[in-house]
Amino acid sequence: MSVSESLSPRSSDIEPVIPTTPLVSFFERLQETALNTFGETNFDPKLYVDLSLKFDLPTTEDAFVKLPKSANGSLSAEDLKGFIEKYFESAGNDMVYCEPVDFVPEPEGFLPKVKNPEVRAWALEVHALWKSLSRKVSDQVQKRPELHSMLPLPEPVMIPGSRFREIYYWDSYWVIRGLLASKMYETAKGIVTNLIYFIEEYGYVLNGGRAYYTNRSQPPLLSAMIYEIYNKTDDMQLVKKSLPALLKEYCFWNSDIHKVIIQDSQSCNHTLNRYYAMWNKPRPEATTKDKKFASKISNVSEKQQFYRELASAAESGWDFSSRWMRNPSDFSTLATTTILPVDLNTFILKMELDIAFLAKVTGDNSTAMSFIEASQSRLNAIKSVFWNEEAGQWLDYWLNDSTCKGCQTWEACNQKQSVFASNFIPLWVESFYSDTSLVEKVMKSFQGSGLLCAYGIATSLMNSGEQWDFPNGWAPLQHMIVEGLARSGSKEARSVAEDIAMRWIRTNYVAYKKTGKMHEKYNVEKCGEFGGGGKYAPQTGFGWSNGVVLAFLEEFGWPQDQMIDC
C-alpha cells in the first residue's frame, strides 16, 4: 500500500460542504443590503464580512430587522450608516499592530551582494515594511470569538496589505522567504506556528484567517516554508513539531475529493490531485458579486456547481484566470474542478520530498522512505500526464468530468494547449531542475513562449480582463521560475534567471518611487506600472512582492554601476 493510500481518508460525501457560521450568514445579509443601499461605486463586499460586532448577534440582528424601511423595503443610506456605526467595530479592528520581536533597521549581513547604494537604500525601505504589515489577533477575538469573523491565532502574523487584513496561506511562503532575507527568523517561525494551528483545528491550512475561509485551502506550501526555515536555522524543535501536522495536511490533499486516477497509454495508473472547495454557495466575502456572476444560470444544481468552481478557483490562488474557463470569454464556464493543475501537483511533489527530508533529519527513516516512494510515483505521474515533448512544457490536463468516479484514461487531446506561467513551475523542484538536458529544453520553450516580457513573466498570453492573465505578472510566479533556473547548475539558465530577476526588481523599484508603495501585481509590459483587471481594485502593501524582491536581491545582488531606473 502506498503512503497516499495508507494516509488518505475515504470521503463519504463526494460533494462536501463545510457549514458557515450564523455570524457569517448575517454579514452576508448586511453586505447585500449595503450594496442595495449605497450602490456599486467603490463597493467592496469583503468590508462587510470583516466587521466585528459590538453586541451579541441576536441583539444586532433584532436592531437590523427593526430598521425603518420604505414602501418597497429599502433602507435609507443615513439609517444604514448609523446602524453600522452603532453596532459594529470597523473592519481591521480585530487585528492590532504588533512590533516584530526580531526587526532591526539594518540587520547584520543584510543583502551583501547589493553594492549599489541607491538599491540598498530602497531594499532597506522594503525591509522596513515588515513593521507596517505586522499584526496580532486582538485579545477581544480570543475573549469573544462569536463576535468576529477573524479567527484566533497563537502568534503574530504578516498581512499582505490593504483589503487583505488577515493571514493568507500561500502568500506566507514568499513572506517567509523575505523574512529570512531580513534575518527575522522568529517572525517566520511564528507564521508557521499559526498555519500548524489551522491544521490542528480544521485538518488543513485554511485559505486565510477568517471564518468564511474554512471551506477551502490554498496551494500547499507549508512544508516548503518549514524546509527553508530549517535550512537557515537548524531548528530541530520546529521540524519535530511540524511533522504530524504535515502528515495531516498531506492526508487532506489526498482525500477522495482531491484525488484523481489517470490510466496512461501503457495501462499504468497514476494518482494526481485537483482543487476542490468544500462549498457550493456564493463566497461570503463576495456574495453580491458571485450572485451576479451566476444570475444567468437557472438550474439549481448547475448554479451550485458554478459556485463550487468559483471557490475552487479561489483555492488555487489564481482567482481568476482564463486558465479555469472552458470559454475564456464567458466567466460562467469556470471549470476548476475538472482540471488537473500542473502547479498543484508540483507543490504536492515538493511536499512529499520535504516530508521525506524532514522525517530523515528527525531520524524517522520509515516515514522518509515512504515519502521518497510517494514522490517517485508522483514524478512518474507528472511526466506521464502533464509533460508534452513537442511543446517542451508541462500542460494542465482536462478531466472528462468532475465526478472522478473510477479511473479515467489519458488522452493527448485533454492536455490544455494554452500557455500559462504555471506550465513551467515544475522547474522549481529539484527532481526537474537537476536534469540538465530537460532544463535546456524547457528553457528554450520558455524563451519562445511569449511569456517573457520587458519587465517580467506574464501569467498567460490571453488578455481576458482577469487578474491572473496577461499582462499581469505576479511575484510568486517570477520567483519559482527564476529559482528553478538559477539552481539548475546550468550557467546559461542562471544567466536567464538573473535577467528576469533584474527586470522584475527594476519595475518594482520604479513603481515604488512613483507611488511610494509596493504592489500586489505588476504590468510586465510597462516599467513601473502596477497590474489591474480582476474583481477588486489593485492592492498595495504588499507581502509577497516585498518578499520576492528581497529574495532576488539576496540571490543576485545589484552591481555598483548598474542603473536601476527604466
Side-chain angles (χ1 to χ4, degrees), residues 228-246:
E228 295 295 340
I229 294 171
Y230 177 76
N231 277 346
K232 289 279 190 180
T233 66
D234 292 323
D235 188 336
M236 186 64 75
Q237 285 307 113
L238 178 69
V239 173
K240 288 178 177 175
K241 178 178 80 171
S242 303
L243 268 172
L246 290 177

Side-chain angles (χ1 to χ4, degrees), residues 82 105 118 251 358 381 512 541 561:
E118 196 178 348
C251 183
L358 297 168
Y512 183 87
D561 55 355

Side-chain angles (χ1 to χ4, degrees), residues 210 444 564:
R210 295 272 180 187
K444 283 186 174 61
I564 183 72

Side-chain angles (χ1 to χ4, degrees), residues 41 92 95 181 194 300 327 381 383 396 424 491 515 546:
T41 306
M95 281 278 197
N194 288 328
V300 173
N327 175 359
K383 289 175 181 175
D396 290 338
F424 300 94
K491 285 186 179 178
T515 65
N546 308 350

